[in-house]
Amino acid sequence: MRRAPFEQLIRHGSSNGWAVAADVSLAGVSAALGTAYRPESIAKTRPTRQVMIDGRLQKSTAPLGRHMRILWLTPAMDRIFSGPPGDRRRLCDRLAAGLDPDHTSRLTNFENLMRQRNRLLAETAADPSWILSLEHQMAEEAIALTAGRLQTLDSLAAQMASGAVEAFPWVKLRLLGDLSEGLQNSPAVQVEDQYRRILRDSRRADRSAGRTLVGPHRADLEVTHGPKEIDAGLCSTGEQKAMLISVVLGHAKAMKNTLGGILPLLLLDEAVAHLDAERRSGLFRELQALRAQCWLTGTDRGLFQGMDRQTEFYAVKQGTLVPIG
């Protein structure tokens, strides 16, 4: 969740890898999921990450999204609206993957194709036809990727317009970038052809820069505090926290309404720490009404007053979860 390298997830002081397994049920379909990581010292070759579903080895992590949808908040995300565009873009992609697990695969495919093109452009005798083929595939993935982002924001906007999230301010979200603006004004086929031409015409500039200068990897997410009509980056820390919670709750409800009742697993790390009593009560009401499985963390039991009857409490002691009354 904090984009830490897999090596950092190994238990401190251990040279082994790590593994996680769970039996999950989503929309009445059960599955046994497992994933493991072996560092180079154990694998004897390069580090390996494996994913198993019902005992079958998977080619990537993408199939996990068909059995488990997860949304999360961590303290590191509190300044996401005033941070670099990449943070907001990753948030947008996580939300999109919640509605369509294949979004992650499209993102991975585009990034792999872009890296191949960048390497070829750096070569003095690269095959032009090979570059052209990569650009053709990049354009296809880029349009599908951008369309998925826009569809996700439309679903969120519908929830915000309906007042589905009552306890927190409604938020306006807009995807910025040449492709997103093009798709909102022109047919997808036309925008795809335009991007393909842009890639072809910008080869010299991209070669000089050492990277691809135009594409969905450069998009940004514009976030506005709806009631105040203020850019989220100019809002107070408390307002930004409330807006972020509003986005996550609105997205969870969008998933419920568009995926036949499928709900995500919510992981809220220290989400209540900087909320006043009224906002905390509002969050608890929203979570109870959502009826999704939620995990909240905190160091002060008093912050969870009002949830006692609907919540199981655990303490972490010596690396073990211990139920507490």
Side-chain angles (χ1 to χ4, degrees):
M1 292 185 290
R2 296 189 299 179
R3 304 180 68 232
F6 291 147
E7 291 83 359
Q8 293 184 8
L9 304 182
I10 298 174
R11 187 179 181 89
H12 182 66
S14 171
S15 60
N16 297 321
W18 52 262
V20 180
D23 294 325
V24 301
S25 178
L26 181 66
V29 178
S30 299
L33 309 182
T35 183
Y37 172 79
R38 296 190 300 171
E40 185 175 354
S41 58
I42 301 297
K44 303 302 182 183
T45 56
R46 63 182 180 85
T48 58
R49 167 84 182 275
Q50 292 184 328
V51 172
M52 302 282 287
I53 298 179
D54 291 331
R56 295 183 178 179
L57 184 64
Q58 306 297 306
K59 295 181 179 180
S60 69
T61 61
L64 289 174
R66 300 186 179 91
H67 298 277
M68 202 171 192
R69 310 290 175 92
I70 303 177
L71 295 176
W72 64 81
L73 289 178
T74 67
M77 298 169 61
D78 285 354
R79 302 298 292 179
I80 194 171
F81 298 137
S82 55
D87 292 344
R88 293 184 291 278
R89 188 167 56 248
R90 280 187 289 273
L91 173 63
C92 185
D93 286 327
R94 278 208 307 275
L95 299 177
L99 292 176
D100 180 9
D102 291 333
H103 182 85
T104 301
S105 296
R106 288 192 287 269
L107 178 61
T108 301
N109 290 342
F110 176 82
E111 291 176 343
N112 287 337
L113 291 166
M114 181 172 62
R115 281 193 290 269
Q116 292 181 54
R117 176 178 178 270
N118 291 342
R119 285 196 295 267
L120 283 177
L121 290 178
E123 297 178 3
T124 56
D127 184 354
S129 62
W130 190 0
I131 297 176
L132 187 65
S133 175
L134 291 174
E135 292 171 347
H136 183 89
Q137 297 175 71
M138 283 176 64
E140 291 179 348
E141 296 289 358
I143 298 307
L145 185 62
T146 304
R149 290 170 174 171
L150 290 172
Q151 184 177 1
T152 298
L153 298 186
D154 286 343
S155 297
L156 263 172
Q159 294 301 312
M160 296 294 174
S162 68
V165 185
E166 298 179 358
F168 296 89
W170 60 278
V171 178
K172 291 198 297 187
L173 302 167
R174 187 164 75 98
L175 188 64
L176 304 179
D178 295 337
L179 296 184
S180 58
E181 293 176 7
L183 283 177
Q184 294 176 81
N185 297 295
S186 305
V189 174
Q190 181 178 332
V191 180
E192 183 179 321
D193 288 340
Q194 290 174 346
Y195 184 50
R196 197 172 287 119
R197 288 195 294 271
I198 290 174
L199 289 173
R200 181 194 62 201
D201 296 340
S202 63
R203 290 176 188 172
R204 178 175 296 179
D206 291 350
R207 181 183 295 111
S208 299
R211 63 185 186 278
T212 302
L213 298 174
V214 179
H217 61 296
R218 306 282 290 180
D220 193 3
L221 183 63
E222 180 184 77
V223 185
T224 305
H225 189 295
K228 294 185 176 182
E229 286 287 339
I230 297 177
D231 181 271
L234 302 177
C235 293
S236 68
T237 302
E239 287 175 325
Q240 291 187 24
K241 183 86 168 187
M243 293 167 66
L244 193 55
I245 293 174
S246 181
V247 169
V248 170
L249 292 175
H251 185 59
K253 294 182 179 183
M255 292 175 63
K256 182 178 181 179
N257 294 334
T258 60
L259 299 177
I262 290 178
L263 287 168
L265 178 67
L266 293 178
L267 309 177
L268 308 180
D269 182 18
E270 296 283 356
V272 301
H274 300 291
L275 299 180
D276 57 32
E278 182 178 352
R279 282 265 168 80
R280 288 199 301 271
S281 296
L283 175 60
F284 299 156
R285 289 195 303 271
E286 294 281 359
L287 295 179
Q288 291 162 8
L290 187 60
R291 302 187 68 82
Q293 184 177 146
C294 308
W295 289 85
L296 295 88
T297 67
T299 56
D300 184 354
R301 174 70 178 267
L303 294 177
F304 297 93
Q305 289 183 0
M307 292 194 73
D308 300 65
R309 295 181 180 179
Q310 296 85 14
T311 306
E312 297 178 3
F313 286 85
Y314 298 86
V316 180
K317 295 183 179 180
Q318 296 181 343
T320 303
L321 282 179
V322 180
I324 56 177

